[in-house]
Amino acid sequence: MSRASDLGSISTRIRRIASLASEDRARAFTSLAYFIDEYFLMEAYARTRKDGASGVDGRTAAQYAENLGENLRDLLERFKSGLYQAPPVRRVHIPKGSGSATRPIGIPTFEDKVLQRAVTMVLEAIYEEDFLDCSYGFRPGRSAHDALGTLWKEVTKLGGGWVLDVDISNFFDELDHKHLRSFLDKRVRDGVIRRAIGKWLKAGVMESGSVRRSQAGTPQGGVISPLLANLYLHEVVDRWFEDEVKPRLRGQAVLVRYADDFVIVFADENDARRVLEVLPQRLGRFGLRLHPEKTRLVPFRRPPRGSDGTGTGGPGSFEFLGFTHFWGKGRQRGSWVVKRKTASSRFTRSMHRVRDWCRHRRHESVAWQRRQLSRWLLGHYAYYGITGNYQALDNFHRQVTREWRKWLDRRSQKASMPWERFNRLLGVYSLPRPKIVHAI
């Protein structure tokens, strides 16, 4: 069978599942594993990143590919028969930015990633028919910039209002397995699929040679983890807000969610305060908690025309997806528009990383450093390069340039990179200038 026909067959299967899910929103699927065969696993393998670190078994993607066909057939047999044992994820800690703070991440084995990808492909076909338009995180064809664009349009349409900036404490660690199973029961009752998900939830984390298992949380770093998280918050937040909250509101309101990060914008202050009052109880029913310091209600009303915006009760600001949102003067004289700029915490974190990198890499060749810093800058522009944020991009470019010169100047005990010489060097090894990538 040719590769083209294999892909056609797989896409046909996925469309078939999606069609069945769309036709009957109450349908619970009992025969999903039937769709996963060797060709399906091959496509899952093709969609799995090959450059990641190895898991607890130490097996790399290249090693797995040496005998790919046999490995996938063996994986399929173990998956279908129930003999597959989900290995724990390997926990590592990466710096958060400044200081000694770190963020734990989990690294599954490569084979586990392939199987999780295959199951995710099947489940996505179902749940993409159910998920609401308000959610954007880790969904096909949707991105953080789509969420930012929607938020900007809705806030502008409302003329501001009251923003409920929500932070759920340790969501991915505290997601309740019992409730997750009940949510899955509504749509997915295939025994093979559910058995695999149960094993992933219980697989645990290996750190310093010992395995720790938990009765809550999603698999750390797992390919399927974002989908399970989206399902959980779809039931706990999205549907609740759409079906129960909005019909009871006096004014308009809009929810925008990216994974566990979400904001709700209200036209009416009383509506906002009522939802803030009941939200902790709603989350508490499902084992979740609001962060008491990071969850806040922000007045975000458009200032009057002609106002300088600095008076008592002036507009506040809030952060979402790495950007600070605030009211600022537009191009038309006297008009106020919603603007976005790189959040100071994100800017500081990025600069700490650049500073540490330049310090540790200052003895590498200038050409090599320039290539790496260029990739870094282009990656920064690719995310933060949105309409109205050029000044922050330019500031980041200037700060990175200064850091680079400072650490090149410290390659030896004797200062060797004054600005005049460094500017000549930039003529040969220039760093990419800022650019707006997303017109949102």
Side-chain angles (χ1 to χ4, degrees):
M1 185 179 291
S2 68
R3 177 67 173 161
S5 59
D6 294 348
L7 290 176
S9 174
I10 291 165
S11 63
T12 300
R13 296 179 219 181
I14 291 175
R15 286 197 301 270
R16 175 59 177 162
I17 297 169
S19 176
L20 292 171
S22 178
E23 290 170 4
D24 184 356
R25 302 274 179 182
R27 178 178 184 143
F29 290 81
T30 58
S31 301
L32 289 172
Y34 165 80
F35 292 95
I36 300 177
D37 59 11
E38 186 180 340
Y39 294 124
F40 203 95
L41 285 182
M42 182 64 77
E43 176 61 17
Y45 166 82
R47 297 187 187 188
T48 302
R49 285 185 56 182
K50 314 297 191 298
D51 57 351
S54 58
V56 295
D57 62 354
R59 202 177 188 186
T60 66
Q63 291 171 331
Y64 195 81
E66 289 174 0
N67 199 4
L68 183 60
E70 184 176 333
N71 286 334
L72 293 181
R73 285 190 292 272
D74 178 62
L75 174 61
L76 180 65
E77 172 60 28
R78 286 180 284 132
F79 168 62
K80 293 289 184 76
S81 67
L83 295 177
Y84 183 77
Q85 297 299 316
V89 298
R90 180 170 67 88
R91 171 164 285 179
V92 297
H93 295 264
I94 60 173
K96 275 190 174 181
S98 59
S100 58
T102 61
R103 174 182 289 107
I105 62 171
I107 304 174
T109 64
F110 181 77
E111 182 175 71
D112 210 34
K113 292 178 184 178
V114 172
L115 185 55
Q116 286 193 35
R117 174 60 62 196
V119 173
T120 298
M121 288 161 60
V122 170
L123 296 186
E124 269 184 353
I126 298 170
Y127 288 116
E128 279 301 308
E129 301 301 318
D130 295 348
F131 290 161
L132 304 182
D133 286 340
C134 61
S135 69
Y136 291 85
F138 307 105
R139 293 182 58 187
R142 292 184 162 224
S143 69
H145 295 102
D146 293 326
L148 289 165
T150 296
L151 179 61
W152 184 87
K153 291 175 185 176
E154 294 296 336
V155 172
T156 299
K157 186 190 305 181
L158 288 175
W162 293 80
V163 175
L164 182 54
D165 186 2
V166 180
D167 187 283
I168 302 177
S169 293
N170 301 317
F171 169 71
F172 285 92
D173 291 330
E174 298 188 3
L175 181 152
D176 186 276
H177 291 176
K178 179 181 177 182
H179 289 299
L180 177 60
R181 287 192 291 269
S182 72
F183 297 151
L184 285 165
D185 283 343
K186 296 180 180 181
R187 285 295 231 171
V188 179
R189 297 181 187 171
D190 179 281
V192 175
I193 297 282
R194 291 296 298 271
R195 184 166 55 228
I197 293 174
K199 290 179 179 180
W200 286 321
L201 292 174
K202 297 175 183 177
V205 174
M206 176 174 285
E207 187 172 12
S208 301
S210 60
V211 177
R212 180 179 61 83
R213 291 182 169 84
S214 174
Q215 297 304 309
T218 55
Q220 296 280 336
V223 174
I224 200 171
S225 180
L227 187 144
L228 297 179
N230 267 334
L231 170 60
Y232 205 88
L233 290 176
H234 167 75
E235 296 285 350
V236 175
V237 175
D238 302 353
R239 288 189 56 184
W240 170 73
F241 181 75
E242 189 68 27
D243 298 341
E244 299 183 36
V245 174
K246 286 178 71 174
R248 294 177 169 84
L249 299 180
R250 295 172 55 186
Q252 292 180 283
V254 61
L255 164 70
V256 179
R257 180 175 66 80
Y258 189 92
D260 63 327
D261 191 1
F262 67 94
V263 295
I264 310 175
V265 185
F266 298 88
D268 184 85
E269 179 182 358
N270 289 329
D271 286 342
R273 295 195 179 280
R274 285 165 53 208
V275 172
L276 177 58
E277 183 178 350
V278 300
L279 186 58
Q281 287 81 16
R282 173 64 183 181
L283 295 181
R285 284 180 53 193
F286 300 95
L288 302 176
R289 298 175 295 115
L290 286 178
H291 194 295
E293 297 175 358
K294 295 182 180 180
T295 299
R296 62 197 188 108
L297 185 60
V298 181
F300 198 70
R301 295 161 295 181
R302 177 188 286 135
R305 187 177 182 86
S307 165
D308 62 4
T310 60
T312 302
S317 63
F318 66 95
E319 291 186 13
F320 185 60
L321 299 180
F323 292 89
T324 297
H325 295 67
F326 62 100
W327 286 102
K329 287 293 183 70
R331 293 183 178 179
Q332 296 180 359
R333 186 175 179 181
S335 65
W336 288 90
V337 297
V338 178
K339 295 189 172 184
R340 289 82 51 89
K341 64 181 179 181
T342 307
S344 59
S345 59
R346 294 290 187 95
F347 188 96
T348 300
R349 184 170 72 187
S350 296
M351 282 310 307
H352 275 295
R353 291 177 62 198
V354 170
R355 185 174 300 115
D356 289 342
W357 186 91
C358 288
R359 177 165 61 92
H360 289 106
R361 301 289 186 172
R362 65 184 185 272
H363 295 295
E364 303 287 351
S365 73
V366 172
W368 182 85
Q369 290 186 53
R370 185 262 178 189
R371 286 195 298 271
Q372 303 305 313
L373 287 172
S374 295
R375 293 193 186 101
W376 206 322
L377 283 166
L378 291 174
H380 187 88
Y381 304 155
Y383 185 78
Y384 292 103
I386 69 172
T387 303
N389 197 38
Y390 186 87
Q391 185 176 346
L393 299 183
D394 188 55
N395 188 25
F396 186 72
H397 176 271
R398 286 186 283 107
Q399 296 280 4
V400 170
T401 302
R402 288 194 184 105
E403 283 297 324
W404 192 26
R405 188 210 69 84
K406 182 178 77 173
W407 290 106
L408 286 177
D409 194 43
R410 298 181 182 182
R411 283 158 71 102
S412 64
Q413 293 183 346
K414 181 179 179 180
S416 59
M417 191 59 64
W419 274 103
E420 182 179 354
R421 182 183 176 189
F422 181 65
N423 285 331
R424 290 199 304 269
L425 181 144
L426 286 178
V428 179
Y429 300 105
S430 62
L431 295 175
R433 296 291 306 171
K435 59 180 178 179
I436 298 300
V437 179
H438 306 280
I440 60 173

